[in-house]
Amino acid sequence: MSTVRKQVVQNQHKGASIFWVILALALGTFALGTTEFASMTLVPYIASDLGVDVAQVSYAISAYALGVVIGSPIIMVLAVRVRRRTLLIALATLMALANGLSALAPSLNWLIFFRFLSGLPHGAYFGVAMLLAASLVPPEMKARAVSRVFIGLTLATIIGVPFATWMGQTVGWRSGIGIVAILATITALMVYFLAPNQAVADNASPKKELQTLKNREVWLTLGIAAIGFGGIFCVYTYLAETLIQVTQVEPFKIPIMMAVFGIGATLGTLVCGWAADKSALAAAFWSLVLSTVVLAIYPSVTGNYWALIPVVFFIGCGLGLATIVQARLMDVAPDGQTMTGALVQCAFNLANAIGPWVGSLVILSGQGIAATGYAAALLSLGGLVMWWLTHRESRRAVSLKVNLNPSPAKCSD
């Protein structure tokens, strides 16, 4: 066999191996996406079964998000010396246990507690999985590798969430969350057999990762996600109830609309992954502009199911911002990628806590459930403000670097 042919075969084998590893990692994000988003679409059924108000059930959603915010940085820093495959298996196991308990919750208070536990491994799993995927490909393809792992979450909104919603309608909401425990168990097994057992970097340490917190660009980039994403969750949390109350659709049409959101999220993630490899900041700007516009349109079309479909599709496209933010953080904090991998999920789920809370304030104030779209547009606009601050800080950092390291030509002048 010629040298060239051997190289081709080796590349094909390597490509196939990377495919299966990313598939295993994406199954975990599929499970996480199903449990995170299905809990929102199941809100009406949980409220009815537990005998509480719809707005009260949103506390369980916020509890999950807060679990992510608290668990992600703590787990990632304490486990910085743990091999990524070992950590992923442990996180998937915890995911399975906590979601199983959520499905058995006897009351709203217990559900809130178990949802908090379910959120603890979420951000750390995402962070480690995306870092592992990025390490398998050349630097110029890292955003696309990250997007392929994240696409498990978006596919969950097409397949997992509609299926869980259907299960909630026909069998009960507990089955809709319980299936996640099974998916997480399968994930742990696939990661064990397929993921490479990469060695931990010799210089990895909690102290080095914590140095990332001094970087202003990191915090401003996280702010884009924490505020900008809040708009999407503000609307999505109450989408099922909006379809019931305002649009007044038949129950079978609710999972269809959730799938429309998921298709938009999947395509948006793929496009944003490609765009982020070109320019993460430019991609973030246009993603936020699109989200702001469609969220502002949302309240005016909630009365018409067919007019609502394209709007929900483009709202779903906004989820691609997660890939952009992750790619941007890898660029601005190359020595603290473990920490930033956790922090981006903290920001994402802080938005998941802010969005439903803001939406509940709008509903309880008597503005109507469709008015959550206007509040969502303001949150997305806030994300654009954070983008502007990030862009300004980036230009300042570049200018400072040039002044500290002037070119020889400039020195001669």
Side-chain angles (χ1 to χ4, degrees):
M1 183 181 294
S2 67
T3 304
V4 174
R5 187 177 178 185
K6 285 182 179 179
Q7 186 64 45
V8 170
V9 172
Q10 288 174 354
N11 289 339
Q12 289 176 340
H13 177 71
K14 182 180 179 181
S17 299
I18 292 174
F19 169 82
W20 286 108
V21 173
I22 290 180
L23 179 64
L25 300 175
L27 180 62
T29 62
F30 179 87
L32 290 170
T34 300
T35 190
E36 182 173 22
F37 287 96
S39 63
M40 301 179 195
T41 64
L42 293 171
V43 162
Y45 314 108
I46 296 174
S48 176
D49 180 56
L50 298 181
V52 296
D53 189 79
V54 168
Q56 290 177 295
V57 179
S58 69
Y59 302 152
I61 297 170
S62 295
Y64 181 94
L66 291 175
V68 179
V69 172
I70 293 172
S72 297
I74 294 176
I75 292 173
M76 293 292 268
V77 170
L78 294 180
V80 70
R81 297 291 302 169
V82 178
R83 294 193 177 212
R84 288 172 179 169
R85 187 182 71 168
T86 302
L87 183 55
L88 286 170
I89 294 170
L91 292 169
T93 301
L94 177 57
M95 192 195 315
L97 177 62
N99 279 279
L101 291 172
S102 296
L104 300 173
S107 66
L108 178 61
N109 288 336
W110 277 110
L111 178 63
I112 291 172
F113 176 66
F114 290 142
R115 293 311 290 163
F116 173 78
L117 292 182
S118 299
L120 292 176
H122 179 116
Y125 180 92
F126 260 101
V128 178
M130 289 180 175
L131 291 175
L132 178 57
S135 72
L136 301 176
V137 299
E140 66 273 12
M141 296 180 62
K142 64 183 179 183
R144 275 166 280 187
V146 167
S147 70
R148 287 177 174 84
V149 173
F150 190 81
I151 210 170
L153 183 146
T154 63
L155 286 175
T157 60
I158 301 175
I159 303 170
V161 175
F163 180 73
T165 304
W166 175 77
M167 291 284 286
Q169 293 173 336
T170 57
V171 182
W173 66 269
R174 299 177 189 277
S175 62
I177 294 179
I179 58 175
V180 176
I182 299 173
L183 291 172
T185 302
I186 297 173
T187 297
L189 292 172
M190 288 186 68
V191 169
Y192 176 79
F193 287 109
L194 298 173
N197 194 21
Q198 295 177 338
V200 178
D202 293 334
N203 59 348
S205 70
K207 183 178 180 180
K208 184 177 180 181
E209 292 292 333
L210 289 171
Q211 293 296 318
T212 302
L213 302 180
K214 297 180 180 180
N215 190 327
R216 291 178 60 183
E217 285 192 83
V218 167
W219 287 108
L220 290 172
T221 302
L222 291 170
I224 294 175
I227 300 175
F229 264 127
I232 295 175
F233 290 119
C234 182
V235 163
Y236 189 83
T237 299
Y238 303 99
L239 179 57
E241 189 66 18
T242 301
L243 290 168
I244 294 171
Q245 288 186 20
V246 182
T247 321
Q248 298 182 348
V249 301
E250 298 89 340
F252 78 88
K253 288 185 178 180
I254 297 177
I256 295 175
M257 187 64 78
M258 299 306 167
V260 169
F261 177 91
I263 293 171
T266 301
L267 294 178
T269 296
L270 290 173
V271 172
C272 286
W274 170 83
D277 276 330
K278 306 295 182 182
S279 172
L281 275 178
F285 174 79
W286 290 111
S287 177
L288 286 165
V289 168
L290 174 64
S291 292
T292 303
V293 172
V294 294
L295 288 169
I297 294 173
Y298 173 81
S300 63
V301 298
T302 51
N304 187 313
Y305 184 81
W306 297 107
L308 191 57
I309 287 177
V311 173
V312 170
F313 171 84
F314 284 111
I315 291 175
C317 288
L319 274 184
L321 181 64
T323 297
I324 299 170
V325 170
Q326 181 68 70
R328 172 69 180 164
L329 288 172
M330 287 180 178
D331 290 335
V332 300
D335 295 328
Q337 294 193 10
T338 299
M339 174 59 76
T340 56
L343 289 177
V344 71
Q345 290 303 312
C346 289
F348 187 79
N349 283 273
L350 183 58
N352 194 3
I354 293 172
W357 174 68
V358 171
S360 69
L361 293 179
V362 172
I363 296 169
L364 294 174
S365 69
Q367 299 300 312
I369 198 166
T372 53
Y374 294 128
L378 289 175
L379 286 171
S380 187
L381 191 61
L384 276 170
V385 173
M386 294 304 302
W387 177 90
W388 177 76
L389 293 172
T390 304
H391 180 62
R392 189 177 68 170
E393 178 63 22
S394 176
R395 294 183 65 180
R396 188 193 71 82
V398 170
S399 177
L400 180 62
K401 186 176 180 180
V402 170
N403 290 333
L404 291 175
N405 301 282
S407 65
K410 187 173 182 180
C411 289
S412 64
D413 292 338

